[in-house]
Amino acid sequence: MSANQQSTSTQPLIQQLQWRYATKSMNPTKAVPKDKLERILEAARLAPTSSGLQPFEIIVVSNAAVREQIKAIAWNQAQITDGSHLLVFAAWDNYTPERINQMFDYTNEVRGFKNEGWENYRQKLLALYPPREAEVNFQHAARQAYIGLSAALISAAFEEVDATPMEGFDADALDEILKLRARGLRSVAIMPIGYRQEDKDWLVNLKKVRRPREQFVSEV
């Protein structure tokens, strides 16, 4: 390990990222405190998104019966029901003029003024996004949801809360369970959060494996 890598590895956030792993067994008796949950959600809310549109939402599922339904369409992954909460990241199904205008109007309201360049940019997006196919727009929105997912994942590690990001579920079935399509949303990823059950988790003591920096980062 180089001196630079040694220095980096002692940084608190990096230490927490080294601590985290895709938890396989969660303790069903241990709940994530509300303040920690709120900070994880706030990190996702503050995540950057393309043009600041925030084209996704997070559904926090704590209801046990609903989580059992979701588990059944998600390869029966136990973390979904054993974890404290299940976060569902759902992207806009399309970019519409109403949604774009709502975010631009809200920005003007929060900032208390209108900017000519910002308003010109609004018109540019209105001319570009709504005419595209809905699936193209959904895929773009889904990529923004993943930025929020990453922020939540990192925040959870910082809070010493275990989290397991998942794509292994039937998205159409999940959308039906949560009635997402009626809200103009489509599920993208899910993330159970909770606390590891070390004596039942085969992965907990295995060394984290990532490609070395020289194989991962290049400089120009």
Side-chain angles (χ1 to χ4, degrees):
M1 181 183 292
S2 68
N4 181 61
Q5 288 174 302
Q6 288 177 329
S7 174
T8 301
S9 67
T10 61
Q11 202 273 343
L13 177 58
I14 299 301
Q15 287 182 326
Q16 290 308 114
L17 293 177
Q18 291 170 336
W19 166 85
R20 75 149 303 277
Y21 70 105
T23 308
K24 303 304 180 186
S25 179
M26 291 188 176
N27 186 343
T29 67
K30 191 172 182 181
V32 174
K34 183 174 176 55
D35 61 332
K36 287 180 177 271
L37 171 63
E38 289 302 321
R39 286 193 291 270
I40 292 168
L41 295 171
E42 183 67 356
R45 190 183 73 89
L46 293 173
T49 58
S50 179
S51 302
L53 293 177
Q54 286 186 287
F56 69 94
E57 297 181 18
I58 301 173
I59 298 87
V60 181
V61 185
S62 55
N63 182 284
V66 174
R67 287 197 284 162
E68 284 288 353
Q69 286 183 277
I70 296 172
K71 178 183 176 182
I73 55 92
W75 298 88
N76 287 311
Q77 296 176 89
Q79 305 97 309
I80 293 170
T81 50
D82 289 346
S84 175
H85 302 79
L86 177 69
L87 308 187
V88 177
F89 291 76
W92 289 354
D93 60 359
N94 200 359
Y95 286 110
T96 65
E98 293 76 17
R99 281 171 158 168
I100 293 172
N101 281 323
Q102 182 180 35
M103 285 306 299
F104 274 79
D105 290 343
Y106 180 60
T107 298
N108 290 339
E109 178 186 337
V110 170
R111 291 176 176 170
F113 65 91
K114 288 186 177 182
N115 176 278
E116 182 179 357
W118 182 239
E119 290 303 317
N120 289 339
Y121 189 61
R122 180 207 296 251
Q123 297 306 317
K124 181 178 180 180
L125 292 190
L126 288 171
L128 178 64
Y129 283 8
R132 299 190 307 196
E133 291 184 8
E135 183 62 24
V136 172
N137 284 335
F138 165 69
Q139 292 298 334
H140 182 272
R143 289 193 290 274
Q144 311 313 305
Y146 274 102
I147 300 174
L149 174 71
S150 296
L153 190 66
I154 293 169
S155 177
F158 189 77
E159 297 287 344
E160 290 199 348
V161 170
D162 288 298
T164 307
M166 299 176 175
E167 287 184 315
F169 61 93
D170 183 331
D172 290 336
L174 180 54
D175 292 352
E176 177 61 29
I177 290 169
L178 296 178
K179 308 301 181 189
L180 296 180
R181 298 295 177 97
R183 297 168 55 184
L185 299 170
R186 292 171 59 184
S187 55
V188 173
I190 61 178
M191 190 175 83
I193 62 172
Y195 292 97
R196 63 189 66 176
Q197 195 162 224
E198 296 190 7
D199 61 334
K200 295 184 179 180
D201 197 331
W202 62 269
L203 189 56
V204 65
N205 291 318
L206 295 184
K207 190 171 183 178
K208 183 185 286 289
V209 179
R210 295 293 187 271
R211 285 155 50 197
R213 185 185 188 280
E214 58 270 19
Q215 294 179 17
F216 186 73
V217 178
S218 56
E219 300 184 23
V220 178

